Amino acid sequence: MKYQISEIKNYMENWAREDLQLTWDNSGSQIEFKGETDSLVLGLDVTDKLINKAIEMNSKLIITHHPMFFGGEKSIIEGTYRGDNIIALIKNNISVFSYHTSMDIAEDGVNDSLFEKLNLKNKKTFTFEEEKAMGLIGELEKNYSLEELLNFLEEKLEVKKIKAYGRNKREIKKLAILGGSGADFISAAKNAGVDAYITGDVKYHDGQRAYEEDLLLIDVGHFYSEKIILPKIKKRLSEKFSDLDFYIEEESSFELDI
């Protein structure tokens, strides 16, 4: 059975509402065609692999977390990576919808899914940017040592490599979490009185700042902190559009397995 692409868009935008996204973001339609589809492709990023999979499936819709366009394209040139991707999407009438900070903040979105995946309890919000609550605070079911927590995170999030910064804590129970890139909010996490802050994209000087502020900072990777939203999107769309076929990009397109 085929569904109107506009139906799927309306459903997604009632979930990850436009008013939730931050002002610098570009959630929503990246490329939009009228028409129908009987399948869709899900991934964190619009890549050549995702586009080729959509063409192979004859799918007319790609949904990603990260937008394809942020600053606006100044040129579309055949023979360049982005140019070829845009041309392929347009030639094959493939729509692209992306839900970024709107999905981070949305109920049952990225951070809620991360909270759920880690079996946390006593949920509170933290980190305000543009007066929007970005991150979450919760408690583990018991006290963990750092080694135990890292093993727990590796298992739950299927992370290949985790890095920890700052100062070790003997007992860790209260966590701040923020999917994606959250190093800008180290001070907010510290002020929230947590034992550890879990996010991604931590740089050397972020680790230094965590050490200076006496905060245990754990980098689980941008991809691994956000990919948990993809099966959630599939689940919710499957409940609404029961005959849709799906492909989910389970692995990072950029990380080499060596």
Side-chain angles (χ1 to χ4, degrees):
M1 178 177 176
K2 291 189 175 183
Y3 297 94
Q4 291 291 327
I5 289 171
S6 59
E7 288 183 81
I8 299 171
K9 176 188 175 182
N10 289 339
Y11 178 83
M12 290 298 301
E13 294 193 351
N14 282 329
W15 175 16
R17 303 190 318 272
E18 183 180 358
D19 65 285
L20 293 176
Q21 75 169 318
L22 302 183
T23 55
W24 51 263
D25 196 14
N26 187 38
S27 293
S29 296
Q30 309 295 297
I31 296 175
E32 183 173 349
F33 290 98
K34 296 178 180 179
E36 300 175 324
T37 190
D38 59 5
S39 60
L40 64 85
V41 173
L42 291 171
L44 282 191
D45 302 275
V46 183
T47 64
D48 55 333
K49 295 178 183 178
L50 225 58
I51 295 167
N52 289 337
K53 189 65 182 180
I55 294 170
E56 176 189 323
M57 294 173 62
N58 196 31
S59 177
K60 299 303 178 183
L61 179 57
I62 293 174
I63 292 179
T64 64
H65 182 49
H66 298 135
M68 186 174 193
F69 304 116
F70 267 113
E73 298 295 311
K74 293 186 177 180
S75 59
I76 301 172
I77 301 173
E78 188 175 17
T80 65
Y81 178 78
R82 285 183 63 80
D84 285 348
N85 281 351
I86 296 167
I87 291 167
L89 289 164
I90 293 172
K91 277 186 174 179
N92 290 278
N93 287 71
I94 299 172
S95 297
V96 178
F97 302 145
S98 304
Y99 303 98
H100 190 210
T101 53
S102 59
M103 184 60 80
D104 290 333
I105 298 170
E107 183 177 350
D108 209 26
V110 172
N111 290 317
D112 276 351
S113 297
L114 186 56
F115 192 95
E116 178 184 306
K117 191 75 173 177
L118 298 181
N119 301 322
L120 301 180
K121 58 184 181 180
N122 300 327
K123 183 190 298 182
K124 297 179 181 178
T125 59
F126 94 107
T127 306
F128 289 84
E129 183 174 335
E130 301 175 20
E131 299 183 351
K132 293 183 172 72
M134 290 289 291
L136 295 174
I137 295 171
E139 294 181 358
L140 295 157
E141 59 183 358
K142 64 175 186 177
N143 289 324
Y144 281 74
S145 68
L146 177 57
E147 182 180 1
E148 289 171 336
L149 178 60
L150 296 182
N151 289 336
F152 173 77
L153 293 171
E154 285 179 1
E155 178 186 351
K156 286 291 185 179
L157 302 179
E158 301 175 354
V159 187
K160 296 177 181 178
K161 188 176 182 180
I162 296 178
K163 291 185 177 180
Y165 302 84
R167 305 189 189 189
N168 198 350
K169 307 290 182 183
R170 293 182 179 179
E171 293 185 345
I172 304 165
K173 186 171 184 179
K174 188 176 181 181
L175 304 179
I177 59 171
L178 182 60
S181 182
D184 287 346
F185 307 112
I186 288 171
S187 294
K190 172 64 178 178
N191 293 337
V194 299
D195 300 317
Y197 177 31
I198 297 170
T199 188
D201 282 352
V202 174
K203 299 177 182 178
Y204 177 87
H205 291 292
D206 300 324
Q208 180 184 16
R209 185 151 60 94
Y211 181 84
E212 291 172 354
E213 297 199 25
D214 190 19
L215 175 70
L216 177 58
L217 177 63
I218 299 174
D219 185 351
V220 296
H222 197 125
F223 177 80
Y224 297 98
S225 68
E226 292 185 330
K227 76 169 189 173
I228 52 174
I229 194 58
L230 301 178
K232 180 67 67 70
I233 294 172
K234 177 184 176 182
K235 179 178 183 294
R236 289 184 59 139
L237 286 176
S238 295
E239 291 169 354
K240 177 67 176 178
F241 307 99
S242 57
D243 292 323
L244 268 181
D245 289 329
F246 292 85
Y247 171 80
I248 298 181
E249 184 77 336
E250 298 283 2
E251 301 296 330
S252 170
S253 295
F254 319 130
E255 185 176 342
L256 295 176
D257 188 11
I258 55 174

